[in-house]
Amino acid sequence: MMAALFMAPGAHAQISIGISISAHIAPPALPVYVQPACPTDGYLWVPGYWAYDNDAEDYYWVPGVWVAPPNPGLLWTPAYWGYDGGVYGFHAGYWGPHVGFYGGINYGGGYGGVGFAGGAWSGGSFRYNTAVVNVNTTVVHNTYIDRTVINNNVTVNNHTSFNGPGGVTAQPRPEEMAAMHEQHVAPTSQQMSHQQNAHMDKTAFASANHGKPTNVAMNKVGGAHFNPQGQRAPRANNANANRPNANGQPNQQQHTQQANDNTHNDTQAQPQQHNAAQQQQHNAQQQPKQQHQQQRQPQHKAAPRPHPQKQEHER
């Protein structure tokens, strides 16, 4: 199933790579969002994209995310949709030594439509261009600034998500064609899991969010969720809870979450029970002392009357 989700039919025969999913309606516009900071040295940015569910006949948003490449020296060519023969075909993304054609789509985060301007490999280390990518400099120190790669002629408001009539009309350049014929590496298991999690989130579907998803990006697979403003967004556990899995059974994530919640509640209850037991033991120890003091008081009739504050303290 996941292999099919990453692939699709369709556009320009000369640029077709790994195509097996098609749709008769165009994908929604790309959402505008703030890129979260790179959490770990060596991670590369994979921009978000619209995937398609044939059964539901609906698009769903796969959040942009920082991921570990399969090997040093590899770069990511994003997936894209292309129009041809009356249908929109999905072209799967891939890893390779150079960035190939991705439909001329401006994904941001270093993917302005041609190539990748967010950094480059230097030996076995990746250097990040902080002019176009967001990096946590307290964790990642191998950075540089090159603002010459920023194309000020790019229409910022153009968030078209497909290549073809009515969308972006770019054609592959010679260097992109060469990159497309190089040896490629398929998306990693983490990337596949990331798309599967998005597919399980009913709020990610365009029919539910009207093309404006709330969870648009993540700092890593399984990490924090971020909204378009770059603020942390709540996880989609509740949205997934009632969605059945492939076997028709309730989502296991719900049971796991409930078990975690019960464990958390039990953990909180244990200190309270322990404190109550200690208090009862303390009261039991104090009661004989108070009774003994009260029994001894009548034997000291000649003693002066205790001070009220002292008597209150002894009680």
Side-chain angles (χ1 to χ4, degrees):
M1 177 181 122
M2 291 311 302
L5 288 174
F6 258 97
M7 323 217 1
H12 306 298
Q14 76 275 17
I15 57 174
S16 298
I17 293 181
I19 305 174
S20 66
I21 285 186
S22 62
H24 293 284
I25 58 173
L30 296 174
V32 181
Y33 59 93
V34 176
Q35 182 188 53
C38 178
T40 305
D41 189 14
Y43 275 31
L44 270 65
W45 178 247
V46 173
Y49 58 94
W50 289 103
Y52 191 75
D53 185 327
N54 271 331
D55 293 333
E57 296 184 348
D58 195 9
Y59 289 96
Y60 61 95
W61 178 252
V62 181
V65 64
W66 291 96
V67 300
N71 294 298
L74 296 181
L75 298 171
W76 176 250
T77 296
Y80 75 96
W81 289 90
Y83 181 85
D84 186 56
V87 296
Y88 297 89
F90 182 74
H91 298 252
Y94 55 87
W95 295 95
H98 300 93
V99 177
F101 183 69
Y102 51 93
I105 309 299
N106 180 13
Y107 286 107
Y111 297 95
V114 176
F116 177 60
W121 287 98
S122 178
S125 301
F126 190 82
R127 300 182 64 221
Y128 298 86
N129 181 10
T130 56
V132 293
V133 296
N134 186 11
V135 173
N136 184 352
T137 55
T138 62
V139 178
V140 179
H141 304 287
N142 196 10
T143 63
Y144 67 98
I145 299 177
D146 181 10
R147 294 188 174 87
T148 62
V149 298
I150 300 175
N151 184 1
N152 294 324
N153 295 324
V154 174
T155 304
V156 177
N157 293 326
N158 182 7
H159 305 294
T160 304
S161 58
F162 64 93
N163 178 283
V168 179
T169 58
Q171 295 293 324
R173 303 189 304 176
E175 54 269 36
E176 292 172 322
M177 290 291 294
M180 290 165 54
H181 291 91
E182 294 175 334
Q183 184 176 1
H184 299 151
V185 177
T188 65
S189 59
Q190 278 202 334
Q191 289 176 273
M192 302 290 280
S193 174
H194 180 65
Q195 178 167 333
Q196 185 178 29
N197 290 336
H199 181 252
M200 294 172 62
D201 177 11
K202 64 182 180 182
T203 67
F205 282 77
S207 59
N209 58 45
H210 307 289
K212 297 180 179 180
T214 301
N215 175 24
V216 292
M218 298 177 67
N219 61 346
K220 60 182 179 180
V221 176
H225 296 202
F226 292 86
N227 64 18
Q229 292 73 38
Q231 302 170 338
R232 290 205 176 200
R235 290 183 177 271
N237 289 351
N238 292 336
N240 294 337
N242 297 324
R243 189 181 183 92
N245 58 24
N247 297 323
Q249 299 297 324
N251 192 341
Q252 183 64 29
Q253 187 176 16
Q254 179 186 16
H255 300 288
T256 303
Q257 182 65 30
Q258 290 176 348
N260 292 338
D261 292 343
N262 293 335
T263 302
H264 178 69
N265 293 335
D266 293 342
T267 304
Q268 288 183 329
Q270 289 176 0
Q272 296 175 357
Q273 296 172 357
H274 178 69
N275 293 338
Q278 284 186 333
Q279 184 64 33
Q280 292 177 357
Q281 182 180 2
H282 176 74
N283 293 340
Q285 293 174 351
Q286 288 294 101
Q287 187 173 2
K289 294 181 180 179
Q290 293 174 355
Q291 292 175 353
H292 178 70
Q293 291 173 354
Q294 291 175 356
Q295 292 174 357
R296 293 183 57 186
Q297 287 178 1
Q299 298 176 5
H300 300 280
K301 296 180 181 180
R305 184 179 180 85
H307 191 276
Q309 293 181 350
K310 184 177 182 181
Q311 185 179 14
E312 181 180 354
H313 175 70
E314 290 177 347
R315 291 179 185 175

